[in-house]
Amino acid sequence: MARARQIMIVGNGAVDEGAAPLIDAADMVIRFNGSRNFGSSGRKTDVIAVCNTGRPGAAMLADPAWRESEAVRGAAEIWSVRDPDLFVDLKPQLAISHPELDDFCDDYTDGFETFATANGKQHRIINRSVHDALDDALLALGAEPYVVPSSGMVVIQALLSDPRHASDTIILAGFGHSGWDGHPFDAERRLVDQHIASGRVMRLQPLFASSLAQGT
C-alpha cells in the first residue's frame, strides 16, 4: 500500500504569513494559471492546473513570461481543467444564456499538450465526469445559476474522486471563494466545508502554518 501523502492545493488568493514553508514541504503542490501568489505561498510546484479554454488559455500560451515563469518551469505536469468535449456541448447553451461569452469555449488544449510535450512535462485533461459529479454536488447544495465551477473546485473534485488519493491528506491554501460571478463560490464554500467535516479535506490555518514553520 502506498504511503499517505500531503497534497497542497494552492489557489491564487492570499495566504497566511508562515504558510510558505509548510506548502513547500508537501509531497505534491498544485498551483493555478499564473500562480499569482508564488513566493509568498512558497515556491515548490509539481502541477500547474490551467484554464485551457477562452481568454485565459489563449493568454497563457501567448505569454513568454508565463511559459518561462519559475512555477511553470518547475512543474512536472500541466493539467487542463476543462474537458474539451464538455465545452463543445456547453457552447450552444452559453450562446443563449451568456452571449457575451462568445469565446469562452474556444479550446486551447492542443496548445497545452504541445507545450507540455516540448518541455518534458506530462499533460492531463480532467475528464468531464469530474465536472458532472461536481455539478451534481453543487446543485444539491443549492447553487444559484452559474456558468462553470472554479478551476480550484474542479481539481479538488478530481483528487477526491481518484482512488489513488484515497488515503492522502488534501490541504487548501489561498482559497477565498470569491471572484468572477460565473463561478458558484457560495456553494463551493459550502461543499468544501462539507468535505472538511467528513475529514477528506482541511484548510491551512494560520496558527498551524506558523507553528510548523517555527518547528514547534
Side-chain angles (χ1 to χ4, degrees):
M1 179 181 295
R3 73 174 181 87
R5 303 187 301 164
Q6 283 193 346
I7 300 178
M8 195 74 64
I9 307 178
V10 184
N12 281 321
V15 297
D16 296 298
E17 185 177 355
L22 179 58
I23 292 171
D24 283 343
D27 296 290
M28 175 186 284
V29 178
I30 302 172
R31 301 182 188 273
F32 294 88
N33 296 323
S35 306
R36 289 196 302 268
N37 54 22
F38 185 83
S40 63
S41 66
R43 312 187 81 83
K44 181 177 181 179
T45 309
D46 298 289
V47 176
I48 294 287
V50 297
C51 289
N52 49 300
T53 68
R55 296 173 194 173
M60 281 183 280
L61 286 173
D63 184 5
W66 180 82
R67 298 196 302 268
E68 295 300 322
S69 66
E70 183 178 341
V72 172
R73 285 189 288 107
E77 301 182 41
I78 302 290
W79 289 4
S80 289
V81 170
R82 297 173 172 175
D83 187 322
D85 291 339
L86 173 65
F87 279 71
V88 167
D89 293 343
L90 183 61
K91 186 168 185 174
Q93 302 173 36
L94 288 183
I96 297 171
S97 63
H98 294 79
E100 72 280 7
L101 300 179
D102 59 319
D103 59 353
F104 188 79
C105 296
D106 291 355
D107 180 34
Y108 298 96
T109 308
D110 287 347
F112 286 105
E113 171 77 36
T114 299
F115 171 79
T117 300
N119 289 276
K121 305 177 189 299
Q122 295 293 316
H123 179 246
R124 171 187 177 185
I125 301 171
I126 296 181
N127 190 272
R128 69 179 299 166
S129 62
V130 171
H131 294 251
D132 293 341
L134 179 55
D135 283 334
D136 290 343
L138 291 168
L139 291 173
L141 289 173
E144 297 293 330
Y146 62 91
V147 179
V148 290
S150 69
S151 296
M153 201 68 231
V154 173
V155 168
I156 293 169
Q157 181 73 28
L159 292 177
L160 291 176
S161 62
D162 189 336
R164 294 173 296 180
H165 298 296
S167 62
D168 293 337
T169 300
I170 298 171
I171 307 173
L172 309 183
F175 277 73
H177 301 293
S178 62
W180 181 50
D181 60 9
H183 297 320
F185 283 119
D186 288 343
E188 290 188 0
R189 182 187 295 275
R190 292 194 293 274
L191 183 55
V192 167
D193 288 344
Q194 190 176 85
H195 291 318
I196 291 171
S198 73
R200 298 297 312 278
V201 174
M202 63 183 295
R203 293 188 193 275
L204 187 61
Q205 300 295 331
L207 292 178
F208 181 47
S210 297
S211 64
L212 280 164
Q214 295 166 11
T216 58

